Amino acid sequence: MSVKGVAIYTFLSENKEEISIQENEEVVIFDENSVDGWVLGENSRGERGLFPKSYVNIIRTRSDSNVTDCSISPSGSLGNDSPQLPSTPKTSINSGQIYDEDYYDDWDDWDDRSTVVDDADHSNTSTTGANGHIFQAPPSNNPNVHYRSKSVSGQDSMASARKGSMVGRNLNRFSSFVRSGVEAFVLGDVPMMAKIAESYTIEMGSLGPQWKANPTPFICSIEDPTKQTKFKGIKTYISYRVTPSHIGRPVYRRYKHFDWLYNRLLHKFTVISVPHLPEKQATGRFEEDFIEKRKRRLILWMNHMTSHPVLSQYEGFEHFLMCADDKQWKLGKRRAEKDEMVGAHFMLTLQIPNEHQDLQDVEERVDNFKTFAKKMDDSVMQLTHVASELVRKHLGGFRKEFQRLGNAFQSISQAFTLDPPYKSDALNNAISHTGRTYENIGEMFAEQPKYDLFQMLDKLSLYQGLLANFPDIIHLQKGAFAKVKESQRMSDEGKMDQDEADGIRKRCRTVGFALQAEMSHFHQQREVDFKDMMQAYLREQIAFYQRVVQQLERTLRMYDGL
C-alpha cells in the first residue's frame, strides 16, 4: 500500500533508475518494504524511481498509527549540531538480481566474526556517535561476542561515590558527546590502561597545535580494477590492486575491505574527521563509468589517509596495506577488532604539549573554525551544483548547439551546389568542412568533463564528507567546555574538590588540543588539495581550448586564396 512521506535530507540521483528528492519535499512510497534500504516512490515532480528509505519520514495517519515513523540515521549539517547525513544503502539492485557487496560473501575466508565489545549498560542498544563511533553495544547471545569488564580505579570509584561531587551527565544520551565516550573521558570515568602500546603526539606549531608528522611518510596507488567472480559466477565483485610506496608489493582489495577499514577508523578515532568512502549505488555497479568513478574517488580517499599523520600510522591501516596472506589477514583483522584504544580510550593515547592555553581562547578559535567550515560547506555545495550543471551542458546542450551550427553550415554548402554554373567547389568544400569542424567541436565539449570537471567533482565530494564530520567533532569540544564550567562552579560552591575540577579541566585540554590539531591538518591539506584542483582544472581548460583553436585555424586556412 502506498504511503506518504517527507524527505528529511536531499538525495541526488546518479543514474536513471534513481530519482532526486529535496529536503522537506513530499514524496509517495509505493511499498514500505525496502529492498536493501531502497524504496520505490514518486517525488513531487511526478518522477518515479528509487531513493534511500533512511532519507524520508513516513507519515502515519491516526488510523495507521499513533506515531510518525521516522527513519533515523546518523547524519549532519554544518549549520547545527544535528546528526550527520545518512549514507545511501550499501546494496545494489540490477536486473532483478541483488548485488550486495557482501551478499554470498566470503567473510568466512576472513574471520569467524568473533567480536569483542565494551561492557556497558546492556539494556541499551548500540548507538553511533561523532563520525559514526560506536560506544555502547547491546547484549548478545552469540558465543563469539565477549564483554570486557569496565574496571574503575580506586580514586575514580571514590570520586564517583562522593555525594554531590559528581558533575551531572547529559540528559540526552543520544548526544554525540555522550555516545562517543568523550563525556566519560572528560569526567574521569575512563580508567588508565596498565600498558598503552600506541601513542600519538600533538606539538605546537607556528599557528597552534598540530599532529606530529608521520616519521615514515608514504603514498599508495590504486590501479587495475578487475571484475572477478566466485561461486561459479553467482558472486561478482571488483578487485583493486593497492600498492604502498614504502613496501612496493601490491595487495588486492575489494570494496568490502575498504568498508571494513573505514568502519574500524570510525570506531577508533573519535576526534578525527575520517574521509567518507565513495558511496554505493543501487544499479550499474559493474558499468565502466561507475567503476572508473569509484576508482578515482578511492584514490582520493587513499591520498587523504596516507597524508594524515595519525590515520597513516594506524596499525589496522598498515595491516590493510601490507597483508597478502589469508591466515595472517584473519589474525590482523581480529586484532584490530579487539583493539581497546578506541573511542574514549583513544584519548588516552594522545601526548599533548605543556604550553598553557586559555580555554576561552580555544573556544573562540573553535567558534571561528565552525563559522569557516559552515561557509566552506555552503560554497562547496554551490560549486558542486554549478559544476554538475556544467557537466550536463557539456554532455547535452553544448554538443547539440555545435551540432546544429555545423548542420546549418552543411546546409549552406549543399544549397550552393544547386546552381552548377555558379557553384564554387573550393568555397563549398571549405564551408562544408567548417560544418564538420563545429560538429567535432561539439564532440570535444562532450568528452571534456572526464578530463577536468569529473576530477573537480571528485575532490568536492571528498570535502563534503570531511566537512560533514565536523559538527559532531566540534560538539565534543563544546560538551567538554560545558563540563569544565560546571565543575568550576561546583568547586566554587564547595560541592566538588578543586583537584577533581582541575582533572576535568586537564582532560578538556586534551580534547581541545586534539580538535585544534585536526583543524590545523584540515587547513594544511585543504590548501594543497584546492591548489592542485584549480591548477589541474585550468591546465585542462587551456589545453582544451588550444585544441579548439587548432581546429578552427586549420579550417580558416581553407579559405585562403579563394
Side-chain angles (χ1 to χ4, degrees):
M1 186 179 76
S2 296
V3 293
K4 292 184 178 180
V6 175
I8 52 177
Y9 306 107
T10 295
F11 170 73
L12 300 178
S13 64
E14 294 193 358
N15 56 67
K16 62 184 180 180
E17 286 82 9
E18 301 168 2
I19 58 172
S20 297
I21 55 176
Q22 302 295 321
E23 184 178 356
N24 297 323
E25 180 180 0
E26 292 187 359
V27 299
V28 175
I29 299 174
F30 299 136
D31 188 346
E32 288 186 63
N33 297 320
S34 62
V35 179
D36 301 304
W38 296 84
V39 292
L40 181 64
E42 181 177 275
N43 59 23
S44 60
R45 297 174 297 283
E47 300 169 337
R48 296 190 173 196
L50 298 168
F51 52 84
K53 184 178 181 181
S54 61
Y55 278 54
V56 299
N57 280 345
I58 296 175
I59 301 174
R60 304 286 188 193
T61 62
R62 185 170 296 275
S63 61
D64 293 333
S65 173
N66 292 325
V67 297
T68 299
D69 177 15
C70 296
S71 299
I72 301 175
S73 292
S75 74
S77 165
L78 279 160
N80 51 51
D81 295 328
S82 62
Q84 294 178 1
L85 186 66
S87 300
T88 49
K90 296 186 177 181
T91 55
S92 299
I93 309 163
N94 192 9
S95 302
Q97 183 176 358
I98 297 177
Y99 286 103
D100 184 349
E101 294 278 0
D102 297 323
Y103 185 63
Y104 290 126
D105 213 344
D106 60 341
W107 284 103
D108 54 310
D109 293 344
W110 277 25
D111 202 353
D112 58 4
R113 296 177 182 249
S114 178
T115 306
V116 177
V117 295
D118 288 331
D119 187 17
D121 177 5
H122 301 321
S123 63
N124 295 331
T125 57
S126 64
T127 54
T128 306
N131 253 3
H133 304 86
I134 300 171
F135 185 58
Q136 290 185 336
S140 173
N141 295 323
N142 188 334
N144 290 325
V145 178
H146 314 289
Y147 291 97
R148 250 186 247 111
S149 61
K150 187 174 180 182
S151 61
V152 181
S153 66
Q155 182 179 356
D156 287 335
S157 298
M158 291 172 62
S160 300
R162 197 183 303 121
K163 289 186 179 180
S165 68
M166 182 62 67
V167 174
R169 265 60 177 169
N170 283 23
L171 294 178
N172 179 11
R173 307 314 290 171
F174 292 98
S175 162
S176 61
F177 180 55
V178 177
R179 290 178 297 166
S180 65
V182 172
E183 180 191 53
F185 169 76
V186 170
L187 295 182
D189 291 344
V190 179
M192 286 295 297
M193 299 291 185
K195 181 179 180 182
I196 300 178
E198 58 186 308
S199 176
Y200 302 98
T201 301
I202 300 170
E203 55 190 16
M204 291 300 291
S206 59
L207 298 177
Q210 61 186 30
W211 298 113
K212 184 177 181 180
N214 186 343
T216 56
F218 64 96
I219 59 175
C220 185
S221 65
I222 298 178
E223 302 169 304
D224 193 26
T226 305
K227 188 175 181 179
Q228 306 281 353
T229 60
K230 59 190 309 180
F231 302 126
K232 297 182 178 180
I234 294 176
K235 176 65 180 177
T236 306
Y237 61 90
I238 301 296
S239 172
Y240 300 87
R241 186 173 73 241
V242 178
T243 310
S245 62
H246 60 317
I247 300 299
R249 182 183 65 250
V251 293
Y252 294 87
R253 297 290 181 250
R254 293 167 52 182
Y255 183 88
K256 72 166 187 180
H257 301 135
F258 285 92
D259 194 49
W260 172 83
L261 173 61
Y262 174 65
N263 282 285
R264 300 319 309 161
L265 296 167
L266 292 183
H267 191 62
K268 182 176 180 68
F269 296 106
T270 310
V271 292
I272 291 177
S273 180
V274 179
H276 293 190
L277 276 177
E279 291 183 343
K280 299 181 182 180
Q281 70 177 36
T283 58
R285 192 158 59 90
F286 300 111
E287 292 177 2
E288 184 176 345
D289 289 345
F290 174 73
I291 293 172
E292 179 61 26
K293 176 182 176 181
R294 175 177 278 184
K295 187 189 83 168
R296 293 196 314 266
R297 297 195 173 188
L298 284 175
I299 290 172
L300 289 179
W301 185 86
M302 182 62 72
N303 290 344
H304 187 89
M305 288 290 300
T306 58
S307 67
H308 197 287
V310 176
L311 301 181
S312 61
Q313 297 185 71
Y314 170 45
E315 182 182 3
F317 184 42
E318 294 177 358
H319 179 66
F320 171 88
L321 294 176
M322 300 178 190
C323 185
D325 178 77
D326 287 345
K327 184 176 180 180
Q328 291 302 315
W329 171 265
K330 295 177 185 178
L331 295 175
K333 178 176 178 288
R334 292 185 184 125
R335 185 166 58 249
E337 291 171 353
K338 294 178 181 179
D339 184 4
E340 294 184 335
M341 309 311 293
V342 301
H345 288 84
F346 166 69
M347 306 302 296
L348 301 176
T349 69
L350 302 181
Q351 306 297 318
I352 66 174
N354 293 323
E355 282 86 347
H356 171 73
Q357 278 195 313
D358 185 84
L359 289 184
Q360 288 186 341
D361 293 340
V362 176
E363 190 168 15
E364 181 179 356
R365 185 177 182 190
V366 170
D367 286 340
N368 290 339
F369 180 83
K370 182 177 180 180
T371 301
F372 151 79
K374 176 64 171 69
K375 176 60 178 176
M376 180 177 176
D377 188 50
D378 291 342
S379 301
V380 166
M381 287 291 289
Q382 179 185 10
L383 182 54
T384 299
H385 176 73
V386 171
S388 298
E389 286 294 317
L390 193 54
V391 167
R392 281 191 277 270
K393 290 178 180 178
H394 270 270
L395 298 177
F398 292 161
R399 170 196 272 171
K400 290 179 181 178
E401 291 302 317
F402 281 111
Q403 286 177 343
R404 289 176 60 192
L405 181 59
N407 289 335
F409 284 133
Q410 294 275 14
S411 180
I412 289 287
S413 173
Q414 293 171 5
F416 285 180
T417 65
L418 296 181
D419 196 355
Y422 296 97
K423 73 176 183 178
S424 170
D425 289 338
L427 176 60
N428 292 347
N429 290 337
I431 295 175
S432 179
H433 183 79
T434 302
R436 291 193 297 273
T437 296
Y438 277 98
E439 289 175 353
N440 290 337
I441 290 174
E443 294 301 322
M444 290 170 61
F445 268 90
E447 288 290 314
Q448 186 58 24
K450 71 172 62 173
Y451 301 111
D452 49 30
L453 287 171
F454 284 175
Q455 282 72 16
M456 177 183 288
L457 288 169
D458 293 339
K459 188 66 65 72
L460 293 175
S461 176
L462 175 73
Y463 271 84
Q464 281 180 289
L466 291 171
L467 289 163
N469 293 332
F470 275 108
D472 274 353
I473 296 174
I474 291 173
H475 183 62
L476 303 181
Q477 179 66 65
K478 292 293 186 181
F481 283 145
K483 295 306 176 187
V484 169
K485 295 173 182 176
E486 184 181 354
S487 65
Q488 190 58 53
R489 176 183 57 79
M490 294 179 67
S491 176
D492 293 341
E493 294 174 354
K495 298 179 180 178
M496 173 183 285
D497 291 343
Q498 186 59 46
D499 288 346
E500 189 175 351
D502 290 343
I504 291 175
R505 179 178 291 270
K506 179 180 178 181
R507 289 184 288 273
C508 181
R509 287 183 72 243
T510 299
V511 178
F513 272 110
L515 175 56
Q516 291 176 84
E518 187 62 15
M519 288 158 43
S520 176
H521 174 75
F522 179 85
H523 279 305
Q524 292 173 6
Q525 197 61 38
R526 168 184 61 83
E527 291 183 1
V528 172
D529 286 342
F530 275 78
K531 174 188 173 183
D532 291 346
M533 182 186 79
M534 296 307 300
Q535 285 180 325
Y537 179 73
L538 290 171
R539 288 193 188 103
E540 290 295 338
Q541 285 281 287
I542 290 169
F544 169 68
Y545 284 107
Q546 284 177 339
R547 291 194 298 272
V548 172
V549 168
Q550 291 171 0
Q551 291 260 352
L552 295 174
E553 286 178 338
R554 282 197 295 269
T555 302
L556 176 62
R557 286 194 290 270
M558 295 188 67
Y559 293 88
D560 295 343
L562 293 181

